[in-house]
């Protein structure tokens, strides 16, 4: 699905999303092999949130922002419905596993749903005003309503989604999203002056104050996190520039105090000058690459079975390794998955536990106890951001938000609770298997007939082995995630005299012509682009027709 999106085979990516999440809309194909479209909507409630996010992500990738909105709107509603787990859902995940529950998403995903919604509304409003080209969609509707939705969505993103995340996840290191606050403030300047409310500038200043401080705090917390690359370098120039523009107009004294609190000199070149009467701003936003997939780490404990699995070429390509060792008595422990070496610090405890179970006759030779945990692949540095050009003015892009870092640190911080719940569930399942085997053995020993006693003991052993195997097979890691979400958001905020300008973006891999925009005085124009700097490897067999971009796909690169 992700690769098809990457090469521009969007229609095929949609069908793959439908097939993957068991959801389809009327008139679409439900599976890749289907010949006839669905006659009605058929949506799995368990998978709907993921499916909606993927469908929205596919439409954003082909710059159809208006088409993405119905999916993202429904996703936002589902986030609110599901973010508080019910008792029944918690019980279900203990008895079975986490994949049995409806997907509720993570805090960073909730914020990005609203960010893309607000982005869709600002693009639609700009197209309706003739500020930017129509692209592949025709903007219709009422400007007042579009602007209202744009601002309400941006405010809901920071006042509801971020606040809820902070309230219920106090132990996580991802506690805020400073770029979301910057973007919410930018929407105030993207609003036509006659449609701005009296308190809009105050809201923008409050958001920028929190954003600059959050950038500083995240640099300390995430920038120093072990095994994590946090790609945001200090406070991005775009955030500083926007703070200067808003603060100079609304609260010069408050701006000075803010800059002192975040240790930014008042003459820092990134701040620039207050916005002139005949000047405007162009905010070029670059949504780049794919977020790191959530993979599985397979943990296996085998009694007197000296076996460690091999790694296939496909597994090797995604960074899978095997870390294993045997205890002195013959208990084999191994972990298989990306970065499996990281389990050494606690893997030995599991192996010793298995050996004790063997010594005391709790687990017979041949017993297989295993489970899976969600795990991330190795973190890699990103290519240097490119440059944005508005007319003859050029400015380097900077990373505004490292979404991949948020995903990684969220899983790392949630991992102890995931591990505790998984181990409790695994213990309960295998304890039941042991109890059942012991009961059958006791019954067999009461048999006076020797042949029946032997047969009963053999059946007890078979029951134990198969029950342990069944319990192990039922333990699947919950690797669900928003696969078409971008790795990071880069951006540049450029001040220009009011007028008409060509906008482009260049990276080490390609350049992108973003069309011509008309910049009104005193306004901010938002110009987004979705691209891939580090392409995903081709997952199709060599020579497969699906591996080639479709002839109808239009590429933005030159």
């Amino acid at each position: 699905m992700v690769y098809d999106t990457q090469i521009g085979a969007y229609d095929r990516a949609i069908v793959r999303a439908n097939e993957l999440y068991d959801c389809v809309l009327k008139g679409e194909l439900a599976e890749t092999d289907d010949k006839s479209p669905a006659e009605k909507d058929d949506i799995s409630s368990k998978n709907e949130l993921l499916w909606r996010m993927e469908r929205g992500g596919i439409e954003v990738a082909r710059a159809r922002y208006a088409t993405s909105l119905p999916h993202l709107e429904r996703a936002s509603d589902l986030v609110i419905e599901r973010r508080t787990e019910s008792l029944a859902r918690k019980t279900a995940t203990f008895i079975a596993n986490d994949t049995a529950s409806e997907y509720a998403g993570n805090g960073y995903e909730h914020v990005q749903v609203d960010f893309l919604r607000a982005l869709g509304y600002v693009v639609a409003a700009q197209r309706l005003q003739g500020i930017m080209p129509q692209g592949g969609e025709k903007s219709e509707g009422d400007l007042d309503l579009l602007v209202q939705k744009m601002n309400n969505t941006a405010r809901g993103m920071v006042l509801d989604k971020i606040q809820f995340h902070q309230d219920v996840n106090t132990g996580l290191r991802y506690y805020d999203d400073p770029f979301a606050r910057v973007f919410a403030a930018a929407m105030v300047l993207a609003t036509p002056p006659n449609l701005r409310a009296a308190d809009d500038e105050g809201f923008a200043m409050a958001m920028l104050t929190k954003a600059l401080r959050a950038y500083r705090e995240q640099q300390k917390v995430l920038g120093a996190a072990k095994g994590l690359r946090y790609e945001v370098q200090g406070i991005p120039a775009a955030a500083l520039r926007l703070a200067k523009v808003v603060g100079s107009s609304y609260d010069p004294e408050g701006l000075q105090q803010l800059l002192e609190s975040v240790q930014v000199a008042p003459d820092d070149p990134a701040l620039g000058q207050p916005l002139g009467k005949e000047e405007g701003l162009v905010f070029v936003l670059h949504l780049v690459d794919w977020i790191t997939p959530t993979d599985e780490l397979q943990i296996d404990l085998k009694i007197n079975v000296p076996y460690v699995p091999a790694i296939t070429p496909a597994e090797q390509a995604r960074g899978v390794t095997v870390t294993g060792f045997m205890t002195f008595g013959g208990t084999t422990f191994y972990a298989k998955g990306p970065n499996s070496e990281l389990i050494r610090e606690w893997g030995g405890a599991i192996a010793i536990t298995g050996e004790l179970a063997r010594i005391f006759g709790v687990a017979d030779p041949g017993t297989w106890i295993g489970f899976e945990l969600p795990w991330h692949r190795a973190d890699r540095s990103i290519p240097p951001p490119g440059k944005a050009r508005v007319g003859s003015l050029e400015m380097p892009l900077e990373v505004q938000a490292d979404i991949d870092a948020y995903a990684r640190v969220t899983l790392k911080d949630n991992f102890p609770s995931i591990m505790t719940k998984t181990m409790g569930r695994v213990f309960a399942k295998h304890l039941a298997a042991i109890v059942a085997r012991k009961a059958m053995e006791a019954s067999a020993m009461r048999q006076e007939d020797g042949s029946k006693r032997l047969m009963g003991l053999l059946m007890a052993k078979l029951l134990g082995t198969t029950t342990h195997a069944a319990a192990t097979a039922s333990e699947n890691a919950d690797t669900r995630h928003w696969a078409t979400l971008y790795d990071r958001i880069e951006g540049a905020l450029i001040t220009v005299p009011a007028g008409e300008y060509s906008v482009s973006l260049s990276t080490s891999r390609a350049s992108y012509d973003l069309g011509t925009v008309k910049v009104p005085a005193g306004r901010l124009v938002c110009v987004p682009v979705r691209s891939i700097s580090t392409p995903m490897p081709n997952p199709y067999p060599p020579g497969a027709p699906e591996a080639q971009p479709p002839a109808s796909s239009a590429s933005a690169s030159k």
Side-chain angles (χ1 to χ4, degrees), residues 191-421:
T191 301
N194 64 307
L195 297 180
R196 294 177 191 171
D199 66 338
D200 278 0
E201 273 196 306
F203 168 78
M205 189 63 191
M207 288 299 101
L208 290 165
T209 298
K210 290 187 175 183
L212 267 56
R213 290 172 177 168
Y215 270 128
R216 279 288 186 236
E217 186 62 25
Q218 286 195 348
Q219 193 63 51
K220 295 177 184 177
V221 175
L222 300 184
K226 182 181 178 181
L228 178 73
R229 286 185 174 90
Y230 181 56
E231 304 290 358
V232 179
Q233 305 300 314
I235 302 177
L240 293 173
R241 176 72 185 121
L242 201 58
K244 176 73 172 185
V245 170
V246 174
S248 297
S249 171
Y250 178 75
D251 185 3
E253 184 177 344
L255 173 63
Q256 182 179 353
Q257 293 173 351
L258 171 61
L259 295 178
E260 289 177 359
S261 71
V262 295
Q263 301 175 342
V264 173
D267 59 349
D268 190 313
L271 293 166
Q273 298 300 317
L275 196 64
K277 290 184 178 181
E278 298 303 319
E279 290 182 327
L281 298 161
V282 179
F283 204 176
V284 180
L285 294 178
H286 189 201
L287 284 55
V288 198
D289 287 345
W290 308 111
I291 200 164
T292 299
T294 304
D295 215 321
E296 69 269 353
L297 181 69
Q298 178 185 347
I299 306 291
D300 276 343
L301 187 68
K302 297 181 177 180
I303 308 300
N304 287 118
V305 181
Y307 166 77
V308 175
I311 301 173
T312 67
E315 290 173 333
Q316 188 175 19
R318 69 176 210 264
V320 171
T321 58
V322 173
T323 299
F325 46 87
M326 295 178 63
T327 61
F328 62 88
T331 298
T332 302
F333 167 83
Y334 66 83
K336 179 179 179 181
N339 298 315
S340 67
E341 299 82 3
L342 298 179
I343 58 87
R344 287 188 180 278
E345 58 189 58
W346 47 265
I350 296 178
I352 292 173
T353 300
E355 182 62 13
L356 291 173
R358 184 193 69 82
I359 291 172
F360 290 101
V362 176
D364 291 332
T367 298
W368 172 30
I369 299 175
F371 57 93
E372 292 180 351
L373 296 168
W375 204 254
H376 274 140
R377 302 177 188 179
D379 199 357
R380 298 177 181 177
S381 59
I382 64 171
K387 295 181 179 180
R389 178 181 289 272
V390 179
S392 61
L393 296 176
E394 189 175 73
M395 182 172 289
L397 294 163
E398 294 179 284
V399 178
Q400 311 290 313
D402 189 346
I403 312 301
D404 191 67
Y406 292 158
R408 289 178 182 278
V409 80
T410 296
L411 181 56
K412 284 178 181 290
D413 290 347
N414 282 325
F415 192 78
S417 63
I418 295 172
M419 182 70 169
T420 299
K421 183 167 64 172

Side-chain angles (χ1 to χ4, degrees), residues 14 18 23-30 36-39 51 55 71:
I14 287 172
N18 294 347
C23 296
V24 67
L25 296 177
K26 180 181 178 180
E28 298 178 347
L29 295 178
S36 302
E39 296 182 357
W51 176 70
R55 291 294 301 269
H71 290 292

